[in-house]
Amino acid sequence: MRAVRKTMNAPVQLGQSIVRKEDRRFLTGRGRYADNTAPADALAVLFVRSPHAHARIVGIDKKAALAAPGVVAIYTAEDTAADKLGHLPAISEIKDAEGKRHREPPRLPMPVGKVRHVGDIVAMILAETLDQARDASELLVVDYEELPAVVTVAQALASGAPLLHDEAPGNLMCRWSKGDAAATEAAFAKAAHVSKLAIRSPRQIVHYMETRAAWSAYDRADDVVTLTFSSQGVHIPHRLMCDHVLKVPKDKLRLVTEDVGGGFGPKYPIYTESALIAWATRKVGRGLRWACERAELSVADTHARDLVASAELALDANGRFLGVRVKAEANFGAYVSMFAPTIPTTGLAKVISGLYRIPAVRVDFDCAFTNTVPVDAIRGAGKPEALFLLERLVDLAAHETGRSPVELRRLNLLKREDMPYAAASGYTYDAADCVRLFETALEAADEPGFASRRAASEARGFKRGLGLCCHLHGTGGIADEHVVVHVEAERLVTRVGTQSQGQGHETVFAQILSAALGVPTDRIEVRQGDTRANPHGGGTGGSSSTIISGTTLRRAADSVIQRGRDLAAERLETAPQDIAFRDGAFEVVGTDRRIGLLELAAWKPFDGNAVFADKIESFPTGVMVCEVEVDPETGESRIDRFTAVADCGVVVNPRLLAGQMHGGMVQGTGNALMEEAIYDETTGQLLSGTFMDYALPRADDVPGFRIETISTPSPNNFMGFKGVGELPTNGAPAAVANAILDALRPLGVRHLDMPITAHKVWRALNPSAG
């Protein structure tokens, strides 16, 4: 620990592995999570949710519930409609072939007249205690007329299917496509071989350690509501709440987010609960508090990855890829969530060409509404299922054409001199060295030694397989970043518009400023998550926070140096052109006269500022090699070795990068082996809403990881950064699945969809068991 303190008390450089600044606060119980900071005297909030997937609300009788002890108010859609609360809009869009925007029926804070999924909010109870609110909910009488439900896209788009929204005939949200259809047809027409695969990617639920929570306060004198909540950024929800939902001036609502115990995507969108709490706070003139319960989370927070797709890969006689085409059905749930339109669609299109030269690409989507929880981004945002589809196809194509998966990939990999590469999908890869990535991964994984390890497994009665995944991510996000670095006598204080949920932003951003200004990281304070203190920001999503905030902080540091030079010249009584900045101090060139940055600020505090001036887009790349053992008697799969090599451009902190890789690989392993949100396709009831039914990976499900990196700096930002957060989650599912199916291939198993559970494997090996 003394060595760590010494590091934090001295300036650091980019590429240095220092421990996270924020961990001391977390490990000593001083983290400030939303539910832990709520005032004890705030009224408890309970949301009454629909038990039906699809039903008309015939009536709601509040009389007995309102008379229950401790109840202060009960609100329903009648109240929100009377106050003209508006639609929770999406901020991304897709268009059909005619240029028409996707259909987006109203998503009101409480639905008027009809519920469309289990979990839709029908009432909001405010009481002195949560137990009193629960008691009152038992007395609330909601009369439903149950309607038939649709759960899958096939059901939703079938002729005569029950209609969710009058504004969306046939339940069609959009019919979307990408790529040159004619060029792709021509590529397939000349193919020597075509490999085909159909998949169903399971729906997933994020179970972060900290569920969503919110509490509010009301300043009656200024008529200002302050809402503190767990989020991935306050600024977008603030704009949407003020402009579209609550329709109040922006200075009348303040949003605050402090520490967050995991986000992974579903804490990014605007939600009905936070909007309703902000609205109700002003109505009752008192502070409120709410924390989502674990089972409630499963029907309240956005889901992801519910995709059915078929794909074909065309090859010439020499094994070169000619084209890929995909036909997919995306299940959007009951409403259009904030980022949802582009998640399965452009999310897939961005990566469907993989790390390969594929001259022709065509993607066609049918997007539909169903009586399920709305979907949105979860770590990877449409890309893990796309890469699973592509990488499984590559393995199948290799075996079908008499090649090994290694050989076929090596033949088709993009080369460094191809960069920047304009993929046929319409996206441009900025920088990558795919061949070096691939060969580094094979060497690190000891791929040549696999045959002897397979023989050893066979001798013990197990089947061993090796799986590869060549993967990438396309970074995205909202870059409304205006950074100010305040230089004070004892410290630097900066505010950023991104939002950490456990990634270590306080450390990484402090490290960037430390390297630029020569100030120890323990003298640098990074603040976030307050619309009053910092009116600009886009939150965190799309693996782009270091690109957005990191580059802007570095520019702000340059501004600090420029302004400090003028002050130093005044203080040292010389001309600004005679001042140089080096090692955290301003000095008169050619003399020993100097003054430190913080010493200068003690004389006269000053600041530097900058706005984001680069491109968000980058394409981090990676190759994973996974080895598994499968027990053919039980179907159980055990990951034995897992190697990942990543190219994330310039690395700020290798320790934190490794942490992101570990977490992403575990999350991807959960996708591959066990996670699945299952609905009853007749009733629309969620059957896997608790940890009794929804499995998550545990420590004994994963081995020790081997992580290595190479670096090809991105030309899209002046510091060469790329993202990392979602990259490992994109690659791990396909790597694990390919390893299992490599083990099972000698036993006649061609393909299995995720999650590849022991039961699924056993059934594949014992088809006659029934």
Side-chain angles (χ1 to χ4, degrees):
M1 181 59 70
R2 282 194 294 273
V4 169
R5 281 186 174 276
K6 183 177 179 182
T7 299
M8 296 183 72
N9 284 329
V12 297
Q13 300 300 317
L14 301 189
Q16 195 171 336
S17 285
I18 64 171
V19 298
R20 303 197 324 171
K21 286 165 53 74
E22 47 269 70
D23 283 354
R24 177 171 291 276
R25 182 170 80 251
F26 298 151
L27 294 171
T28 54
R30 291 181 288 122
R32 293 186 58 79
Y33 300 97
D35 192 46
N36 302 131
T37 59
D41 62 349
L43 293 175
V45 173
L46 184 140
F47 294 103
V48 178
R49 299 179 184 274
S50 168
H52 303 293
H54 200 193
R56 290 191 181 89
I57 303 172
V58 178
I60 301 177
D61 185 348
K62 301 188 288 187
K63 185 176 181 181
L66 279 169
V71 173
V72 174
I74 298 177
Y75 298 117
T76 66
E78 182 179 349
D79 303 293
T80 57
D83 281 6
K84 296 183 171 56
L85 267 62
H87 165 62
L88 280 70
I91 63 171
S92 71
E93 67 177 15
I94 53 176
K95 295 180 179 180
D96 65 17
E98 297 178 355
K100 295 178 182 177
R101 189 178 188 267
H102 68 263
R103 293 165 176 167
E104 190 172 327
R107 186 187 185 188
L108 300 173
M110 284 192 263
V112 176
K114 189 167 82 163
V115 293
R116 295 174 175 85
H117 70 89
V118 173
D120 236 352
I121 295 173
V122 297
M124 178 185 189
I125 299 176
L126 279 54
E128 296 294 342
T129 70
L130 184 57
D131 283 342
Q132 289 173 332
R134 287 175 176 143
D135 289 344
S137 72
E138 298 294 325
L139 300 173
L140 188 74
V141 179
V142 184
D143 185 10
Y144 296 99
E145 177 191 340
E146 195 168 358
L147 300 170
V150 290
V151 171
T152 68
V153 173
Q155 289 177 335
L157 298 182
S159 177
L163 192 64
L164 271 78
H165 303 276
D166 292 339
E167 300 86 351
N171 295 316
L172 183 68
M173 180 264 200
C174 190
R175 190 159 277 131
W176 180 87
S177 61
K178 186 79 170 178
D180 189 326
T184 306
E185 289 299 318
F188 274 80
K190 64 181 181 181
H193 179 82
V194 175
S195 291
K196 301 179 180 182
L197 178 66
I199 68 162
R200 183 190 178 278
S201 180
R203 179 178 282 240
Q204 284 188 271
I205 303 170
V206 166
H207 281 284
Y208 7 68
M209 292 180 68
E210 178 209 26
T211 60
R212 283 191 299 123
W215 62 270
S216 62
Y218 182 56
D219 182 340
R220 191 176 298 276
D222 291 330
D223 187 32
V224 174
V225 172
T226 297
L227 179 73
T228 298
F229 68 130
S230 180
S231 81
Q232 290 178 225
V234 294
H235 298 94
I236 298 174
H238 183 254
R239 173 170 58 84
L240 298 180
M241 280 190 207
C242 293
D243 293 349
H244 296 274
V245 185
L246 305 179
K247 302 170 187 174
V248 298
K250 289 185 173 62
D251 61 351
K252 296 302 180 183
L253 176 66
R254 178 189 182 191
L255 298 188
V256 175
T257 291
E258 296 184 281
D259 292 322
V260 181
F264 308 109
K267 285 185 183 173
Y268 211 162
I270 180 175
Y271 280 98
T272 55
E273 294 88 353
S274 50
L276 285 169
I277 289 169
W279 165 76
T281 299
R282 183 172 276 110
K283 288 188 75 70
V284 298
R286 287 185 62 179
L288 310 177
R289 68 180 297 175
W290 168 75
C292 188
E293 297 184 357
R294 181 61 62 179
E296 184 182 22
L297 175 156
S298 295
V299 295
D301 292 20
T302 53
H303 296 181
R305 309 227 206 287
D306 195 334
L307 181 78
V308 174
S310 60
E312 297 175 300
L313 179 64
L315 298 82
D316 68 15
N318 296 316
R320 300 279 183 183
F321 297 157
L322 298 176
V324 64
R325 57 189 177 196
V326 179
K327 293 187 181 297
E329 297 175 349
N331 188 334
F332 275 77
Y335 306 100
V336 183
S337 185
M338 193 171 87
F339 288 113
T342 56
I343 299 305
T345 50
T346 62
L348 181 146
K350 274 187 177 182
V351 299
I352 197 61
S353 190
L355 302 189
Y356 312 111
R357 178 180 295 279
I358 305 181
V361 172
R362 177 68 179 186
V363 176
D364 291 283
F365 265 88
D366 284 342
C367 307
F369 293 107
T370 67
N371 295 114
T372 61
V373 172
V375 303
D376 209 307
I378 284 180
R379 192 175 190 173
K383 300 167 190 71
E385 55 268 45
L387 288 159
F388 173 81
L389 178 61
L390 175 66
E391 290 293 298
R392 284 294 305 128
L393 260 179
V394 172
D395 265 27
L396 291 172
H399 297 308
E400 289 168 5
T401 60
R403 297 173 175 87
S404 74
V406 169
E407 179 187 358
L408 187 61
R409 285 177 172 85
R410 187 177 278 139
L411 179 65
N412 286 281
L413 283 172
L414 292 167
K415 296 178 172 57
R416 183 162 189 161
E417 54 267 28
D418 294 329
M419 301 297 150
Y421 176 70
S425 55
Y427 302 94
T428 298
Y429 302 171
D430 51 342
D433 191 341
C434 301
V435 173
R436 183 181 167 205
L437 263 179
F438 190 68
E439 300 302 338
T440 302
L442 293 179
E443 181 180 356
D446 184 26
E447 187 266 342
F450 171 71
S452 63
R453 292 190 294 275
R454 170 173 269 180
S457 296
E458 291 276 358
R460 294 184 292 109
F462 297 110
K463 298 296 180 182
R464 179 176 283 263
L466 183 144
L468 300 166
C469 181
C470 298
H471 57 284
L472 71 164
H473 183 72
T475 57
I478 308 295
D480 181 21
E481 187 74 327
H482 295 58
V483 164
V484 179
V485 177
H486 300 284
V487 188
E488 302 175 0
E490 299 292 332
R491 62 180 181 169
L492 304 180
V493 179
T494 186
R495 297 185 182 276
V496 296
T498 50
Q499 178 70 50
S500 181
Q501 313 114 54
Q503 297 97 328
H505 287 188
E506 291 177 43
T507 303
V508 169
F509 297 159
Q511 194 164 349
I512 290 170
L513 286 177
S514 178
L517 297 174
V519 175
T521 57
D522 65 355
R523 296 285 193 94
I524 300 173
E525 185 175 333
V526 178
R527 298 177 183 173
Q528 58 188 359
D530 188 335
T531 56
R532 176 182 290 174
N534 182 8
H536 297 282
T540 286
S543 303
S544 58
S545 289
T546 303
I547 295 172
I548 294 171
S549 291
T551 59
T552 312
L553 283 164
R554 183 62 178 82
R555 292 184 191 278
D558 290 341
S559 174
V560 165
I561 294 170
Q562 182 178 349
R563 294 180 184 181
R565 181 179 287 114
D566 293 336
L567 287 175
E570 181 183 349
R571 183 65 171 161
L572 296 173
E573 299 179 338
T574 189
Q577 58 266 30
D578 294 333
I579 296 290
F581 183 76
R582 183 166 59 89
D583 298 333
F586 297 95
E587 58 185 30
V588 180
V589 177
T591 75
D592 60 357
R593 297 170 59 205
R594 67 197 317 267
I595 184 169
L597 181 67
L598 299 184
E599 182 185 355
L600 182 64
W603 172 64
K604 187 177 291 186
F606 63 104
D607 56 46
N609 55 43
V611 299
F612 181 69
D614 295 277
K615 294 181 180 179
I616 299 176
E617 294 81 8
S618 73
F619 279 86
T621 53
V623 173
M624 290 186 181
V625 185
C626 179
E627 287 186 35
V628 303
E629 280 190 332
V630 178
D631 184 345
E633 295 297 319
T634 65
E636 182 181 2
S637 301
R638 181 184 68 85
I639 301 174
D640 184 52
R641 299 160 66 95
F642 212 158
T643 300
V645 181
D647 178 0
C648 303
V650 173
V651 176
V652 178
N653 188 315
R655 182 193 297 263
L656 270 62
L657 182 141
Q660 287 288 300
M661 292 294 294
H662 287 193
M665 291 167 77
V666 171
Q667 204 158 3
T669 297
N671 191 174
L673 295 181
M674 60 198 71
E675 294 190 48
E676 184 173 18
I678 301 172
Y679 277 93
D680 184 303
E681 293 188 6
T682 300
T683 65
Q685 293 293 324
L686 181 65
L687 304 179
S688 53
T690 72
F691 286 156
M692 293 293 290
D693 314 292
Y694 191 94
L696 292 172
R698 293 165 172 79
D700 61 355
D701 291 314
V702 293
F705 297 121
R706 178 163 184 174
I707 309 296
E708 295 194 12
T709 61
I710 69 170
S711 178
T712 55
S714 174
N716 288 351
N717 64 82
F718 83 110
M719 297 195 73
F721 295 149
K722 300 177 184 176
V724 64
E726 291 163 280
L727 179 68
T729 313
N730 292 353
V736 173
N738 277 340
I740 294 172
L741 288 156
D742 183 55
L744 298 178
R745 191 171 65 87
L747 302 178
V749 179
R750 180 179 185 268
H751 176 75
L752 293 172
D753 279 337
M754 300 184 293
I756 305 178
T757 61
H759 179 254
K760 195 176 287 186
V761 171
W762 188 88
R763 288 289 299 269
L765 295 178
N766 298 274
S768 61

PDB file of all heavy atoms in Angstrom, residues 46 190 592:
ATOM      1  N   LEU A  46     -44.265   3.214  -4.027  1.00  0.00           N
ATOM      2  CA  LEU A  46     -44.450   1.865  -4.541  1.00  0.00           C
ATOM      3  C   LEU A  46     -45.229   1.965  -5.846  1.00  0.00           C
ATOM      4  O   LEU A  46     -46.258   2.642  -5.911  1.00  0.00           O
ATOM      5  CB  LEU A  46     -45.193   0.989  -3.537  1.00  0.00           C
ATOM      6  CG  LEU A  46     -45.355  -0.485  -3.943  1.00  0.00           C
ATOM      7  CD1 LEU A  46     -45.152  -1.402  -2.764  1.00  0.00           C
ATOM      8  CD2 LEU A  46     -46.743  -0.740  -4.568  1.00  0.00           C
ATOM      9  N   LYS A 190     -21.898 -16.134 -57.848  1.00  0.00           N
ATOM     10  CA  LYS A 190     -20.623 -16.692 -58.317  1.00  0.00           C
ATOM     11  C   LYS A 190     -19.907 -17.505 -57.245  1.00  0.00           C
ATOM     12  O   LYS A 190     -18.753 -17.890 -57.430  1.00  0.00           O
ATOM     13  CB  LYS A 190     -19.720 -15.572 -58.828  1.00  0.00           C
ATOM     14  CG  LYS A 190     -19.290 -14.561 -57.776  1.00  0.00           C
ATOM     15  CD  LYS A 190     -18.407 -13.468 -58.407  1.00  0.00           C
ATOM     16  CE  LYS A 190     -17.950 -12.453 -57.358  1.00  0.00           C
ATOM     17  NZ  LYS A 190     -17.124 -11.374 -57.950  1.00  0.00           N
ATOM     18  N   ASP A 592      17.010  29.426 -13.252  1.00  0.00           N
ATOM     19  CA  ASP A 592      16.475  28.497 -12.262  1.00  0.00           C
ATOM     20  C   ASP A 592      15.225  29.056 -11.605  1.00  0.00           C
ATOM     21  O   ASP A 592      14.765  28.542 -10.578  1.00  0.00           O
ATOM     22  CB  ASP A 592      17.540  28.178 -11.200  1.00  0.00           C
ATOM     23  CG  ASP A 592      18.001  29.425 -10.459  1.00  0.00           C
ATOM     24  OD1 ASP A 592      17.537  30.535 -10.810  1.00  0.00           O
ATOM     25  OD2 ASP A 592      18.825  29.284  -9.537  1.00  0.00           O
TER      26      ASP A 592
END
